[in-house]
């Protein structure tokens, strides 16, 4: 069967879609685009508080909240809002916001300025640190936008598209959107669905009955590759799409990675759409691409970070497995204690587990380097409450010099300062926070280093040990350091730049393999010979020297591109294979949600099941399946085959 032709770009006058209303805040200068249903004319003029807010008041709010606002094209940015009551959001939005936060809930700075811009129908570039409220900055105006559009009919939808670079971010944004959609009902009931690679696409299609009635939901959270795949299969139409968000937009607009795909995707959407771009960093290349893709009204909003300018040092540990990495980090810790910890400093060492914290506190060389056992305390959940209190105050009041603790216990809520009267005459702590392990998320990292340079402390700095298996977080770490005004170590910046080239080159190589062609060489440092092992049958085998964190990136990238992939053998010889079709791979490959046949005893019919988790469990070589009736079992891959084979 010949492959279906891909949809072609469209012009607005070629679309049989309703007139687009997208200004619900200011009174749009074009009468045909004005709407009264979701806005009281010009809200800035109609709202008594907004109307009374002077230009000086606006400038003061922006300055105090670290807001920098630039009008790149079109009308000037509206005044920032300072409460939910100053917006045109539906009542349930304010109600849920109070539940999620407090009855005194106020917008974060990125929300305060982005909301009125988005509600005015403008395209928005929002640049703010991780954890600063960017998701609600684009989600809540989308609710108003969607509710103002005509109802979807069979075969139509979505209206709003949130594009994320990874499966994990798709799931995270989906959960937030779902909370708000659940508050709608009746004719105004809103739906949200998610779509990403590595899953059988038929499981992500709307139902023909029930609430979907053959319609896509009003909101779709997706990766770019899966969205285009669904459009190419003619299973989804971009015809009604009018509100598009690129989250992590610095990645999406990188010329070597997603930018060609984003251009292709936006060419299928009506030109008068609304486009919002949010990111923690904003390189020049992203700015150039944004100006190309955005419309006639474009506002750029930047938020200076809430993270204090804490001096941060980062040590990288290359080319080692977990055991070696911990041994090298212990050696580095001892050396750092002997040569870098100043006499006037106290040290808070944070670890992933209480076992690691205890082991470090008992290490003879560690104890010797800090001046003896009486200078060391441990704070962990295994201690009784009074013992934890004693350990904490011993450290804060200076009786102990070094405290070992866990991220879970030590990174939140504790001030590491003594507010009591007895402390007035004492010297406050000069506190160093050292992360022996690296936290799971960059937000957790910010909480950890935020234990130092706090009120009641004399000074502070942070030191982090970053092992190779955690290098995938380097890009976010660079963004946080830049946002807090810190100089990024050259080695860390080079790592991020090299990984960007590596991912771009490997994506292009995967597309070649998918087309049945030899992969082109990857033009990135340390990648010579990366594509040398390619067979005429269409199998690309990467060398075992590819670091584990990069293999993880490539598995995720292969899911997004849609090429079969497996890893074989054990570290340090673990090897990644990528192929044009799964039959060529040296091991079984499954897709989440696909149907499979399971062999039974001789003479018995095979059973049908669905793949719950496609990852093959070692060393048993099993895959998790769901059978008719809902029972789930781990089944040998040697007894399992795809229904399509």
């Amino acid at each position: 069967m010949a492959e279906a032709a891909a949809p072609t770009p469209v012009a607005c006058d070629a679309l049989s879609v309703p007139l687009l209303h997208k200004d619900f805040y200011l009174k749009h200068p074009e009468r045909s685009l004005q709407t009264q249903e979701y806005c009281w004319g010009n809200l800035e003029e109609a709202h008594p508080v907004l109307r009374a807010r002077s230009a000086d008041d606006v400038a003061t709010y922006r300055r105090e909240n670290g807001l920098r606002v630039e009008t790149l094209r079109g009308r000037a940015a509206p005044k920032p809002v300072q409460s939910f009551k100053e917006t045109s959001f539906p009542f349930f939005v304010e109600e849920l916001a109070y539940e999620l936060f407090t009855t005194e809930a106020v917008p974060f700075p990125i929300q305060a300025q982005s909301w009125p811009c988005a509600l005015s129908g403008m395209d928005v570039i929002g640049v703010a640190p991780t954890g600063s409220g960017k998701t609600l900055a684009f989600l809540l105006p989308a609710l108003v936008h969607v509710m103002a559009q005509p109802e979807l009919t069979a075969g139509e939808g979505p209206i709003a598209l949130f594009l994320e670079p990874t499966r994990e971010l798709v799931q995270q944004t989906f959960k937030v959107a779902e909370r708000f959609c659940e508050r709608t009902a009746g004719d105004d009931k809103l739906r949200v669905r998610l779509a990403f690679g590595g899953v059988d696409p038929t499981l992500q299609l709307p139902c023909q009955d029930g609430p979907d009635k053959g319609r896509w939901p009003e909101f779709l959270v997706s990766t770019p590759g899966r969205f285009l795949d669904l459009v190419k299969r003619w299973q989804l139409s971009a015809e009604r799409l009018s509100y598009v968000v690129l989250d992590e937009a610095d990645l999406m607009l990188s010329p070597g990675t997603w930018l060609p795909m984003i251009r292709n995707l936006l060419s299928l959407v009506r030109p008068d759409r609304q486009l919002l771009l949010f990111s923690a960093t904003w390189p020049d290349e992203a700015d150039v691409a944004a100006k190309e893709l955005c419309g006639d009204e474009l506002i750029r909003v930047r938020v200076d970070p809430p993270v204090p300018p804490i001096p941060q040092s980062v040590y990288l540990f290359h080319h080692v497995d977990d055991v070696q990495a911990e041994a090298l980090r212990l050696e580095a810790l001892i050396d750092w204690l002997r040569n870098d910890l100043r006499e006037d400093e106290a040290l808070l060492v944070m670890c992933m587990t209480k076992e690691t914290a205890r082991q470090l506190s008992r290490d003879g060389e560690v104890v010797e380097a800090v001046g003896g056992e009486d200078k060391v305390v441990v704070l962990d959940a295994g201690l009784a409450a009074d013992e934890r209190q004693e350990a904490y105050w011993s450290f804060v009041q200076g009786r102990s010099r070094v405290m070992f603790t866990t991220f879970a216990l030590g990174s939140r809520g504790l001030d590491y300062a003594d507010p009591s009267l007895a402390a007035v005459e004492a010297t406050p702590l000069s506190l160093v926070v050292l992360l022996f392990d690296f936290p799971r998320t960059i937000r957790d990292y910010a909480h950890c280093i935020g234990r130092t340079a706090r009120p009641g402390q004399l000074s502070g700095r942070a030191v982090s040990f970053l092992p190779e298996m955690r290098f995938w977080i380097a890009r976010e770490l660079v963004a946080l350091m830049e946002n807090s005004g810190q100089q990024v170590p050259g080695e860390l910046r080079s790592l991020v730049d090299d990984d960007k080239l590596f991912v771009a080159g490997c994506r292009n190589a995967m597309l070649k393999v998918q087309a049945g062609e030899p992969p082109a060489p990857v033009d990135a440092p340390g990648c010579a010979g990366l594509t040398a092992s390619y067979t005429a049958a269409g199998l690309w085998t990467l060398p075992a020297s590819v670091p584990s964190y990069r293999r993880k990136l490539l598995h995720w990238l292969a899911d997004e591109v849609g090429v079969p992939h497996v890893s074989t053998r054990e570290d340090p010889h673990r090897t990644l294979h990528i192929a044009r079709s799964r039959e060529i791979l040296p091991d079984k490959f499954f897709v989440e949600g696909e149907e499979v046949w399971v062999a039974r005893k001789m003479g018995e019919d095979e059973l049908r099941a669905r793949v719950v988790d496609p990852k093959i469990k070692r060393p048993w070589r099993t895959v998790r399946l769901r059978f008719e009736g809902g029972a789930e079992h781990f089944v040998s891959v040697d007894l399992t085959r795809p229904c399509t084979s």
Side-chain angles (χ1 to χ4, degrees):
M1 179 183 292
E3 184 177 349
T8 56
V10 292
C12 196
D13 56 7
L15 294 173
S16 57
V17 293
L19 195 66
L20 178 62
H21 293 294
K22 57 180 182 177
D23 190 340
F24 317 103
Y25 197 79
L26 303 175
K27 191 171 186 179
H28 200 281
E30 294 186 34
R31 184 175 181 82
S32 64
L33 297 178
Q34 294 173 6
T35 177
Q36 300 299 319
E37 186 176 357
Y38 292 90
C39 177
W40 303 275
N42 185 331
L43 192 56
E44 275 198 347
E45 293 301 321
H47 196 287
V49 176
L50 280 168
R51 184 176 64 246
R53 193 166 290 146
S54 68
D56 287 343
D57 293 336
V58 169
T60 298
Y61 176 84
R62 288 174 175 167
R63 183 178 63 253
E64 291 178 349
N65 287 276
L67 276 167
R68 289 183 286 153
V69 185
E70 301 170 80
T71 300
L72 302 182
R73 289 199 286 262
R75 294 176 291 174
K79 303 172 185 178
V81 300
Q82 297 180 29
S83 77
F84 285 90
K85 296 184 183 298
E86 297 174 18
T87 70
S88 54
F89 294 146
F91 173 73
F92 72 85
V93 171
E94 183 179 349
E95 185 180 61
L96 182 55
Y98 288 162
E99 291 180 19
L100 292 175
F101 305 105
T102 68
T103 53
E104 301 299 320
V106 295
F108 288 106
I110 188 64
Q111 299 165 352
Q113 188 60 71
S114 295
W115 284 344
C117 294
L119 289 168
S120 299
M122 300 171 175
D123 289 353
V124 177
I125 298 170
V127 186
T130 300
S132 58
K134 293 192 291 293
T135 301
L136 291 189
F138 62 73
L139 172 60
L140 301 194
L143 292 166
V144 178
H145 180 102
V146 165
M147 294 176 75
Q149 311 310 320
E151 186 177 349
L152 295 172
T153 59
E156 291 186 336
I159 296 172
L161 172 66
F162 306 147
L163 290 171
E164 303 282 358
T166 68
R167 171 182 182 148
E168 289 74 20
L169 287 173
V170 166
Q171 292 169 324
Q172 179 178 298
T173 301
F174 169 79
K175 288 178 181 177
V176 178
E178 190 177 39
R179 291 287 303 274
F180 286 89
C181 288
E182 286 173 347
R183 291 302 179 96
T184 62
D187 292 339
D188 292 328
K189 178 67 177 176
L190 299 177
R191 298 160 300 129
V192 60
R193 188 178 291 272
L194 71 174
F196 44 77
V199 176
D200 185 343
T202 61
L203 296 181
Q204 298 171 339
L205 301 179
C207 302
Q208 294 304 309
D209 50 13
D212 291 340
K213 299 176 183 176
R215 305 166 300 162
W216 278 90
E218 290 76 16
F219 298 93
L220 179 64
V221 192
S222 178
T223 55
R226 177 45 59 95
F227 180 86
L228 282 173
D229 180 53
L230 290 168
V231 172
K232 186 177 180 181
R233 295 168 181 262
W234 297 96
Q235 293 172 324
L236 182 149
S237 169
E239 196 171 271
R240 287 292 306 275
L241 197 55
S242 55
Y243 188 100
V244 181
V245 175
L246 306 187
D247 200 9
E248 302 291 331
D250 60 330
L251 269 182
M252 298 282 197
L253 300 181
S254 177
T257 52
W258 277 277
L259 182 55
M261 189 181 293
I262 296 300
R263 284 195 181 107
N264 183 16
L265 188 154
L266 292 177
S267 74
L268 306 174
V269 183
R270 55 189 296 164
D272 59 344
R273 78 215 162 213
Q274 192 169 359
L275 182 60
L276 294 90
L277 316 171
F278 284 85
S279 181
T281 61
W282 197 244
D284 290 342
E285 61 186 24
D287 207 53
V288 171
K291 290 174 181 175
E292 170 202 334
L293 298 172
C294 289
D296 295 335
E297 294 191 307
L298 177 59
I299 304 293
R300 181 166 56 216
V301 180
R302 290 181 181 268
V303 180
D304 291 332
V307 179
I310 300 167
Q312 299 164 53
S313 301
V314 181
Y315 295 84
L316 307 184
F317 294 83
H318 289 271
H319 307 304
V320 290
D321 60 26
D322 291 11
V323 176
Q324 289 175 305
E326 187 158 336
L328 286 176
R329 280 181 284 147
L330 175 57
E331 185 179 311
L333 172 63
I334 294 167
D335 181 72
W336 187 90
L337 290 170
R338 290 171 175 166
N339 298 299
D340 290 277
L341 183 63
R342 297 194 295 265
E343 286 292 329
D344 63 334
E345 290 180 319
L347 175 64
L348 176 64
V349 180
M350 291 192 182
C351 309
M352 187 68 72
T353 67
K354 64 182 181 182
E355 289 76 18
T356 301
R358 289 176 178 177
Q359 288 171 6
L360 293 178
S361 71
R362 296 166 183 164
D363 184 272
E365 291 186 86
V366 170
V367 171
E368 180 272 330
V370 299
E373 291 183 1
D374 60 324
K375 299 296 183 183
V376 177
V377 290
V378 178
L379 181 68
D380 70 53
L383 300 174
D386 58 340
E387 292 176 311
R388 292 200 299 269
Q389 286 288 320
E390 172 58 28
Y392 174 76
W393 288 114
S394 173
F395 178 65
V396 168
Q397 294 172 351
R399 300 193 302 275
S400 302
R401 188 184 184 194
V402 180
M403 185 163 78
F404 293 89
T405 188
T406 61
F407 297 140
L409 198 58
S411 65
R412 294 173 184 263
L414 299 178
D415 289 328
Y416 299 98
D418 186 358
S420 67
L421 187 64
V424 173
E425 302 298 326
T427 303
L429 288 181
S430 292
L431 183 61
V432 182
V433 172
L434 188 147
L435 307 184
F436 183 79
D437 297 310
F438 203 88
R440 288 190 173 92
T441 69
I442 205 67
R443 185 178 300 183
D444 290 339
Y445 170 82
H447 280 296
C448 289
I449 68 171
R451 296 307 96 195
T452 189
R454 297 175 69 84
Q457 297 176 4
L458 190 61
S459 62
R461 59 186 175 122
V463 177
S464 304
F465 290 173
L466 184 62
E468 186 174 86
M469 71 284 290
R470 305 284 292 147
F471 279 2
W472 54 267
I473 207 170
R475 175 182 153 272
E476 292 179 276
L477 179 57
V478 167
L480 184 141
M481 294 183 74
E482 288 178 338
N483 286 332
S484 56
Q486 298 302 299
Q487 183 173 355
V488 178
E491 187 182 14
L492 183 61
R493 188 177 294 282
S494 294
L495 173 67
V496 173
D497 292 341
D498 291 351
D499 281 348
K500 184 182 292 186
L501 292 173
F502 172 79
V503 170
C506 287
R507 181 179 180 276
N508 290 332
M510 288 180 189
L511 291 173
K512 288 285 189 181
V513 171
Q514 191 177 47
E517 302 173 16
V522 176
D523 185 16
C527 291
L530 191 68
T531 59
S533 181
Y534 177 77
T535 68
L539 177 64
W540 174 26
T541 300
L542 286 82
S545 58
V546 175
S548 61
Y549 83 98
R550 280 189 167 178
R551 284 203 309 271
K552 179 178 180 178
L553 286 174
L554 292 183
H555 278 296
W556 153 71
L557 186 62
D559 277 342
E560 177 65 5
V561 172
V563 288
H565 53 97
V566 294
S567 285
T568 59
R569 309 178 70 184
E570 301 296 328
D571 289 328
H573 306 293
R574 193 145 179 83
T575 305
L576 173 62
H577 310 270
I578 297 168
R580 184 182 183 186
S581 65
R582 72 169 92 199
E583 293 78 16
I584 305 169
L585 291 170
D587 201 355
K588 294 286 188 74
F589 168 75
F590 299 100
V591 175
E592 182 182 334
E594 73 172 328
E595 289 191 311
V596 293
W597 290 113
V598 179
R600 303 172 72 189
K601 296 178 181 178
M602 185 72 69
E604 294 184 358
D605 291 339
E606 292 178 306
L607 292 177
R608 202 173 185 120
R610 281 195 182 272
V611 177
V612 176
D613 182 355
K615 187 176 181 180
I616 297 175
K617 302 296 184 288
R618 296 177 290 165
W620 305 279
R621 290 184 48 74
T622 58
V623 66
R624 189 178 177 186
L625 306 178
R626 179 181 295 118
F627 292 85
E628 186 176 350
E632 295 184 2
H633 300 283
F634 286 96
V635 178
S636 169
V637 297
D638 297 322
L639 300 176
T640 307
R641 65 180 179 88
C643 288
T644 54
S645 62

